[in-house]
Amino acid sequence: MVILGFGFLATFLVRYSFSGAGFTLLVAAMAVQWAVILNGVESMYDRGKIRINMRSLVVAEMCTASSLIAIGAVLGKTNPVHLLLIALLEISGFVLNGWLLQTFLKVQFLNTIMLLHIFGAFFGLMLSWVLYRQGSEQQHEKEKIDRKTGLFSVMGTLFLWMFWPSFNSVLVEVDHLDRGRSLRAVYSTYLALAVSAVTAAGFSVLTSPQGKLNLFHIQRCTLAGGVAIGVAMSAVHLPWVAMAIGFAAALISTLGSRYIKPLMLFAFECHDTCGVLSVHGLPGILGWMVQLFLQIADSDDLTTAVRFAVFHICTLLITLSLSMSLGLITGFLLKCNFWRPPQNKKCFDDQVFWEFPHLSGKR
């Protein structure tokens, strides 16, 4: 799911499809190894060795997904060395965030790992703000979608859409040994995705001046329901709640892609290539809010509700603070000319990094 789904999803740029898919594979392969090592530090301290099993690999893949979300904000404006550094630092921060939440706030592991969308999105947002290039107010001539790259990108969307229920539920069974709870996570995710897909298509048409579908909305906003329900999953028990979350997530994501993404560019100089704030950040915060309200509603007494609310709010504040601060640090580190960032005219272009024999032959 991580390699094929995110890999094809990154091929939407007309001159950057080779890099979108190839660099996703490169980063994912490196990031999984780094995540396995970092997640195994505690085991190594206790037993003298790092345990590798199916659970550790699944957790490493989820950490990798968080780094790929962050990279989506600066897609096309970096080189492969940049991407590897971003992935290593982002995963280090994400693992540290999970350790802090589990150690000091006693947050369940499943709830900490599902914050990957929020952590990755705001890490990438700060990264794009620091690495902002003058002239980005006008769309780059190569920052476009054509029919072929758009089709491959939609293939990534379809793959992610199909396997998102397993992504959200894979650790539920491992943690709780409750088959019914795992299946409930699958059903809830599927319902949220289904409603999200219909809602994204509908609001894409309603917000279009020509009354037509926007391919960017279909590629990404249809997945917003899976993001939101993943964060709120532990508190969702009824089908209509999952469907309502899918509707609200798609609405926020579509409107965010249409209006907030340009606003972030012109007002805050954040050039978010893949719109990770609208696709992952805002739906992730929506899921966090839904979990807060549902847990308070299910509480037996006021004291328990207030205690949970305080800890839940602290969880979000720690996650946002750590992700944004590390994103700023990483961005300033990558601004050094030592890393040889691509020139403005060579952004979003495969020819900078890949061999094209038919072009060299013509020369």
Side-chain angles (χ1 to χ4, degrees):
M1 175 180 172
V2 170
I3 295 175
L4 187 59
F6 281 96
F8 274 113
L9 195 63
T11 62
F12 67 100
L13 294 170
V14 61
R15 298 281 296 274
Y16 202 73
S17 56
F18 277 36
S19 301
F23 293 163
T24 297
L25 174 61
L26 174 65
V27 170
M30 184 69 183
V32 168
Q33 300 174 66
W34 183 237
V36 168
I37 293 173
L38 291 181
N39 288 317
V41 168
E42 185 176 359
S43 173
M44 189 172 187
Y45 179 79
D46 294 335
R47 306 178 184 181
K49 61 180 67 175
I50 295 176
R51 291 187 60 187
I52 298 179
N53 50 29
M54 186 59 68
R55 183 179 186 275
S56 65
L57 292 179
V58 169
V59 172
E61 291 283 352
M62 289 187 166
C63 295
T64 300
S66 180
S67 67
L68 293 176
I69 291 169
I71 286 172
V74 293
L75 188 70
K77 299 172 287 184
T78 51
N79 60 38
V81 177
H82 284 160
L83 299 180
L84 290 175
L85 285 173
I86 292 170
L88 295 177
L89 292 173
E90 197 277 344
I91 288 176
S92 301
F94 183 63
V95 172
L96 174 62
N97 182 70
W99 179 81
L100 291 174
L101 297 181
Q102 293 177 69
T103 303
F104 296 103
L105 298 182
K106 305 303 179 183
V107 180
Q108 293 182 3
F109 173 76
L110 182 63
N111 291 334
T112 62
I113 197 70
M114 282 303 170
L115 292 173
L116 65 94
H117 303 284
I118 298 175
F119 193 96
F122 283 91
F123 184 100
L125 198 65
M126 290 297 99
L127 202 60
S128 67
W129 179 67
V130 176
L131 298 179
Y132 177 79
R133 295 169 179 260
Q134 295 298 326
S136 296
E137 301 87 358
Q138 302 295 326
Q139 186 180 32
H140 197 283
E141 60 180 354
K142 300 171 187 175
E143 194 180 357
K144 300 177 182 177
I145 304 176
D146 70 356
R147 298 184 60 156
K148 291 182 180 179
T149 58
L151 178 61
F152 276 104
S153 185
V154 171
M155 287 177 59
T157 301
L158 295 176
F159 195 86
L160 288 171
W161 200 95
M162 287 188 300
F163 286 94
W164 210 288
S166 63
F167 182 81
N168 279 351
S169 64
V170 63
L171 290 179
V172 174
E173 185 178 356
V174 173
D175 273 0
H176 302 284
L177 300 178
D178 182 355
R179 184 66 176 174
R181 189 163 186 172
S182 178
L183 288 175
R184 187 163 60 247
V186 172
Y187 302 151
S188 298
T189 304
Y190 181 82
L191 290 173
L193 284 170
V195 175
S196 179
V198 176
T199 305
F203 278 95
S204 178
V205 172
L206 290 175
T207 58
S208 171
Q210 295 82 25
K212 297 181 179 180
L213 290 168
N214 184 298
L215 183 60
F216 188 89
H217 297 162
I218 302 303
Q219 287 172 342
R220 287 171 168 77
C221 299
T222 53
L223 303 172
V227 173
I229 195 68
V231 179
M233 183 172 50
S234 60
V236 176
H237 306 294
L238 298 173
W240 70 268
V241 176
M243 298 173 74
I245 292 173
F247 175 84
L251 174 61
I252 292 173
S253 182
T254 306
L255 295 180
S257 297
R258 180 72 74 179
Y259 302 112
I260 297 180
K261 184 182 177 184
L263 177 64
M264 294 295 294
L265 175 60
F266 290 104
F268 301 102
E269 296 186 341
C270 288
H271 183 243
D272 185 358
T273 305
C274 295
V276 297
L277 176 64
S278 301
V279 180
H280 296 274
L282 296 180
I285 292 179
L286 171 67
W288 173 88
M289 293 177 62
V290 170
Q291 185 184 28
L292 173 63
F293 294 142
L294 291 179
Q295 290 284 16
I296 292 176
D298 291 340
S299 299
D300 297 329
D301 58 273
L302 181 61
T303 303
T304 304
V306 172
R307 187 175 185 274
F308 173 80
V310 171
F311 276 71
H312 199 60
I313 292 172
C314 290
T315 297
L316 180 65
L317 293 179
I318 292 174
T319 301
L320 290 178
S321 300
L322 189 58
S323 64
M324 296 173 74
S325 59
L326 284 176
L328 290 173
I329 294 172
T330 304
F332 285 118
L333 177 63
L334 297 182
K335 286 196 74 172
C336 300
N337 291 327
F338 173 79
W339 304 109
R340 299 182 63 184
Q343 302 174 9
N344 289 347
K345 64 180 180 179
K346 294 184 178 180
C347 289
F348 310 105
D349 197 336
D350 283 331
Q351 293 188 44
V352 181
F353 308 107
W354 299 83
E355 294 181 359
F356 289 90
H358 65 287
L359 295 180
S360 60
K362 290 181 180 180
R363 295 175 186 173

